[in-house]
């Protein structure tokens, strides 16, 4: 998805870290409770230190929705998170993304046109009324609205199991919403959750949006229970079984904790698997003295290591792997949006049109009702 962040004024580009600290502090106190700064776990420390609340993508949107007194929500994260915050906050609240180029490459792997094309193609071979579309939180508002319109739901990495169970009822209680799921945009979260619930390879097919009929034939579509969109996170897909083997060879008794956006062969080898909030809790609960390799974004891994001096926390991939879009939000951009607010100008506002927001809200509400 193409977005354009205009170049920052020189004042911010040339500022020293100390100047930025002074300016951000002054602007933040001038704005007081009218501004709420939210920091996703993957943000840099120079940004995170200013966050009024830290959290995962959904937790932060909820925080935004609960803070009705804040006129401005400065979302230090990526575009889909700011959109979700706009959907869940009051119309009078304005959501700001410090750098418009802070997207999510995974979210961009499923655009609304490709999903609508897939739906039309599927309708030529199967009854789409029996397909439940599920979208990961890491998706555009348009996709969440699509899911809302077609009886599906949003899920996050912490509740994908509950949402998939709601859709397909693997326990056989008779409450299934359909016979198949189209899961986008992350094939890995879909596959990992499917395996966790007892499905196997034979029940899953990857839908490649670049190919006719997703690269599948009619039999594939009919046989599949889980149609997994061919999308991935470039950060989490880097972790490989070789990293787990190398870490365990070096640290006997070492623990491996990974995010479910990692490929299934890595997830299978890990000691613990879960969302960013889960990983934070898992490290906190690990015995003192543990050596832990974490398979997730490097800023969170480093922060975990800093916050637990009694444990050693390292990246599962020894080569640093930051999320390049999260990394776009930095102190100069944060300073710029705050100083513009002090001057009464809202820059980089993220808005979702009312119709899209209403349907997306319905898909988000289903998720809340399920979990
Ligand atoms: P969370 O939903 O855990 O915040 O993860 C978001 C994300 O982008 C993971 O790569
Ligand atoms: Fe998107 Fe991956 Fe970055 Fe998360 S870590 S924001 S999924 S690109």
């Amino acid at each position: 998805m193409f977005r354009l962040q205009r170049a920052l004024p020189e004042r911010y580009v040339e500022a020293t870290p100390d100047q930025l600290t002074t300016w951000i502090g002054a602007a933040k106190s001038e704005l007081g409770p009218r501004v709420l700064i939210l920091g996703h776990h993957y943000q840099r420390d120079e940004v995170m230190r200013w966050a009024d609340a830290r959290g995962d993508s959904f937790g932060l949107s909820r925080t935004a929705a609960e803070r009705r007194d804040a006129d401005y929500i400065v979302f230090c994260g990526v575009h889909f998170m700011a959109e979700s915050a706009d959907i869940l906050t009051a119309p009078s609240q304005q959501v700001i993304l410090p750098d418009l180029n802070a997207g999510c490459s995974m979210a961009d792997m499923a655009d609304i046109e490709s999903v609508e094309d897939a739906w039309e193609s599927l309708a030529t071979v199967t009854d789409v009324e029996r397909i439940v579309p599920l979208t990961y939180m890491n998706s555009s508002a348009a996709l969440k609205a699509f899911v809302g319109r077609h009886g599906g739901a949003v899920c996050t990495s912490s509740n994908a199991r509950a949402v998939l169970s709601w859709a397909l009822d693997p326990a056989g209680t008779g409450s299934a919403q359909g016979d198949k799921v189209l899961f986008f945009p992350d094939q890995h979260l879909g596959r990992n959750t499917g395996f966790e619930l007892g499905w196997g390879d034979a029940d899953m097919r990857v839908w490649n949006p670049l190919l006719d009929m997703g690269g599948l034939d009619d039999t594939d579509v009919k046989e599949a229970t889980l149609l997994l969109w061919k999308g991935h996170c470039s950060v989490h897909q880097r972790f490989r079984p070789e990293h787990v083997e190398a870490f365990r060879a070096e640290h006997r008794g070492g623990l491996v904790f990974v995010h479910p956006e990692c490929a299934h062969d890595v997830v299978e080898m890990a000691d613990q698997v879960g969302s960013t909030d889960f990983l934070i809790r898992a490290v906190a609960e690990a015995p003192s003295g543990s050596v832990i390799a974490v398979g997730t974004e490097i800023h969170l891994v480093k922060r975990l290591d800093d916050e637990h001096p009694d444990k050693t926390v390292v990246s599962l991939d020894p080569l640093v792997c930051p999320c390049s879009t999260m990394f776009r939000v930095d102190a100069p951009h944060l300073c710029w949006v705050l100083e513009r607010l002090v001057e009464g100008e809202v820059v980089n506002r993220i808005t979702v049109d009312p119709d899209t927001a209403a349907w997306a809200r319905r898909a988000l509400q289903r998720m809340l009702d399920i979990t």
Side-chain angles (χ1 to χ4, degrees):
M1 197 166 290
F2 183 69
R3 296 172 203 105
L4 195 60
Q5 175 62 54
R6 60 179 150 129
L8 284 186
E10 272 180 23
R11 166 182 162 79
Y12 302 103
V13 179
E14 288 171 3
T16 64
D18 284 349
Q19 281 174 317
L20 289 167
T21 300
T22 308
W23 298 344
I24 293 172
K28 192 169 185 299
S29 51
E30 173 92 27
L31 291 161
R34 285 188 298 142
V35 70
L36 176 70
I37 302 178
L38 301 178
H40 186 267
H41 294 308
Y42 295 167
Q43 289 288 298
R44 306 162 180 243
D45 287 346
E46 71 185 44
V47 169
M48 220 42 173
R49 61 180 290 197
W50 300 106
D52 297 304
R54 296 174 178 200
D56 63 9
S57 55
F58 186 60
L60 288 176
S61 296
R62 273 221 286 233
T63 305
E66 282 159 12
R67 279 287 308 274
R68 298 278 156 155
D69 56 325
D71 299 331
Y72 310 112
I73 316 287
V74 176
F75 208 123
C76 298
V78 290
H79 192 266
F80 76 81
M81 299 179 185
E83 277 191 330
S84 300
D86 186 54
I87 291 165
L88 293 169
T89 47
S92 60
Q93 293 178 291
Q94 303 190 52
V95 178
I96 292 162
L97 183 64
D99 185 326
L100 292 180
N101 289 342
C104 162
S105 53
M106 175 210 282
D108 291 347
M109 285 177 196
D111 59 72
I112 185 64
E113 290 79 19
S114 315
V115 170
E116 280 172 348
D117 285 352
W119 201 251
E120 272 177 33
S121 301
L122 287 166
T124 64
V125 279
T126 188
D127 176 9
V128 282
E129 296 293 315
R130 299 297 302 158
I131 302 182
V132 187
L134 299 182
T135 191
Y136 187 20
M137 190 73 166
N138 297 31
S139 59
S140 68
L143 258 65
K144 293 184 177 83
F146 175 91
V147 158
R149 283 192 185 94
H150 292 279
V154 177
C155 72
T156 70
S157 48
S158 47
N159 61 27
R161 191 186 158 111
V163 174
L164 194 55
S165 300
W166 164 80
L168 292 174
D169 183 28
T173 63
S175 62
Q177 306 297 307
D179 306 324
K180 292 182 197 304
V181 153
L182 176 61
F183 189 98
F184 39 82
D186 186 23
Q187 59 171 301
H188 298 299
L189 180 63
R191 184 178 294 110
N192 288 325
T193 314
F195 275 119
E196 225 187 296
L197 288 170
W199 282 287
D201 274 322
D203 306 307
M204 305 185 201
R205 298 289 187 285
V206 174
W207 181 275
N208 183 345
L210 302 176
L211 301 176
D212 278 350
M213 189 58 79
L216 304 176
D217 59 27
D218 293 10
T219 313
D220 279 326
V221 171
K222 288 191 176 112
E223 282 179 6
T225 303
L226 297 171
L227 291 161
L228 308 172
W229 197 265
K230 194 172 191 311
H232 64 268
C233 166
S234 44
V235 173
H236 291 92
Q237 198 170 267
R238 283 177 60 108
F239 299 109
R240 302 296 319 134
E242 302 85 87
H243 294 132
V244 180
E245 281 158 10
F247 170 76
R248 289 206 172 121
E250 195 178 338
H251 303 281
R252 290 180 74 81
L255 300 168
V256 176
F257 299 169
V258 302
H259 194 279
E261 286 173 18
C262 294
H264 187 61
D265 47 8
V266 174
V267 162
E268 262 184 325
M269 294 170 81
D271 297 295
Q272 305 256 25
V273 184
S275 63
T276 48
D277 269 353
F278 173 90
L279 295 172
I280 291 168
R281 280 197 306 277
V283 169
E285 285 163 14
S288 189
S290 300
V291 181
I292 309 163
V294 181
T296 195
E297 208 274 345
I298 192 68
H299 288 87
L300 175 55
V301 177
K302 286 204 167 125
R303 196 169 299 121
L304 285 170
D305 189 46
D306 292 345
E307 288 172 357
H308 296 281
D310 61 323
K311 299 165 200 176
T312 304
V313 183
V314 297
S315 172
L316 180 57
D317 176 358
L319 298 173
V320 174
C321 53
C323 170
S324 58
T325 47
M326 285 275 181
F327 198 62
R328 284 183 173 274
V329 178
D330 56 8
H333 284 85
L334 177 60
C335 189
W336 171 61
V337 298
L338 291 176
E339 290 198 336
R340 294 322 306 149
L341 284 179
V342 170
E343 294 303 316
E345 187 191 359
V346 176
V347 289
N348 288 12
R349 183 172 176 196
I350 302 300
T351 52
V352 178
D353 72 78
D355 184 53
T356 304
W359 283 109
R361 210 174 286 120
R362 187 169 300 189
L364 285 161
Q365 191 55 49
R366 279 195 198 111
M367 170 179 83
L368 293 175
D369 293 344
I370 294 161
T371 53

